[in-house]
Amino acid sequence: MNFVIPAPAVSSLGVAGSDSRFPVRRIYCIGRNYAEHAREMGAEAPRTQPMFFMKPADAVVTDGADVPYPSATQELHHELEMVVALARGGRDIAEADALACVFGYGVGLDLTRRDLQAAAKAKGHPWDAAKGFDHSAPVSALAPVSAVGHPQARRLTLEINGELRQQASTADMIFPVAAIIAELSKLWELAPGDLVFAGTPAGVGPLARGDHVRAELAGVAVLEARIR
Ligand code: MN
């Protein structure tokens, strides 16, 4: 294939225990998937219908690289999240079949320009500038299901400069991984290479230039990065 300009690079994540990498196609995110976080944002926790948004694939920051403080915000927030990577996709995937689509798991930050998000919410505008900016998705290396299985009730923690700022059990997710995949597949045809950010627990807050972040999904993955 000849392209009229150089083809864009494929974003990818490292894979624990492998020299091969996981290519990223799309990044789906679920909002308000922990009741206490929904409350801290002044929102109702959803009961039947999850709320989704997306980030561009090239928003991923991998391999512990520094994260540049984004433009156009005075309020960059961290959201600690489990990340699910799909090896298979499809439409209208049944919950019972959903976990068979998973390649592996990692931990990431759904970085958010909270001031722009508040302005967008107030005006009924979309969240793209608040959520889908460049470098807005730092993610750890992935742990394959073949190595770690499907983690249930794992502890998620985020330390900033050594201080614990967010913690939860993934058992507290309102929509568990299989339900998220099933619901997403009603709206989009999922495909290999898709990532899913599974929602943040309570305790979101600001990041400053120079901060060191350490996110962990116990027994599965660790992400360390610095904001510059
Ligand atoms: Mn989030």
Side-chain angles (χ1 to χ4, degrees):
M1 178 86 69
N2 288 320
F3 295 109
V4 296
I5 57 169
V10 174
S11 298
S12 65
L13 301 179
V15 175
S18 171
D19 293 332
S20 299
R21 296 183 66 83
F22 181 90
V24 178
R25 190 187 81 117
R26 291 183 183 171
I27 305 175
Y28 296 100
C29 306
I30 182 170
R32 301 169 190 158
N33 201 25
Y34 289 79
E36 279 188 38
H37 171 64
R39 277 194 288 275
E40 77 179 345
M41 298 306 293
E44 286 286 310
R47 287 182 178 78
T48 55
Q49 193 67 40
M51 188 269 288
F52 297 117
F53 58 92
M54 295 170 80
K55 293 174 183 272
D58 67 353
V60 293
V61 180
T62 63
D63 308 317
D66 286 354
V67 178
Y69 196 96
S71 64
T73 184
Q74 305 300 320
E75 197 179 20
L76 175 65
H77 267 204
H78 54 78
E79 295 193 358
L80 166 69
E81 309 203 4
M82 179 164 77
V83 177
V84 185
L86 301 189
R88 290 172 39 201
R91 291 174 215 242
D92 297 321
I93 299 166
E95 267 192 55
D97 301 327
L99 291 185
C101 297
V102 177
F103 168 78
Y105 296 87
V107 65
L109 296 176
D110 165 16
L111 294 179
T112 303
R113 286 166 164 153
R114 193 69 74 197
D115 44 0
L116 297 197
Q117 187 193 34
K121 283 179 177 175
K123 293 177 183 166
H125 286 178
W127 288 10
D128 300 62
K131 290 289 197 178
F133 54 92
D134 297 343
H135 313 290
S136 60
V139 183
S140 70
L142 298 172
V145 168
S146 58
V148 298
H150 296 283
Q152 309 281 345
R154 292 299 176 100
R155 189 172 141 85
L156 267 175
T157 52
L158 176 67
E159 293 177 2
I160 301 177
N161 305 324
E163 184 181 319
L164 185 63
R165 298 283 280 274
Q166 286 189 271
Q167 62 172 324
S169 167
T170 58
D172 293 335
M173 292 192 295
I174 296 168
F175 296 95
V177 172
I180 296 172
I181 292 170
E183 291 294 327
L184 277 171
S185 75
K186 294 177 184 174
L187 294 166
W188 294 276
E189 180 173 3
L190 301 179
D194 290 344
L195 298 181
V196 181
F197 275 63
T200 189
V204 301
L207 287 167
R209 290 174 182 80
D211 281 348
H212 176 266
V213 298
R214 183 181 188 280
E216 181 170 6
L217 178 60
V220 176
V222 174
L223 166 70
E224 292 197 66
R226 188 168 293 279
I227 312 299
R228 65 162 167 80

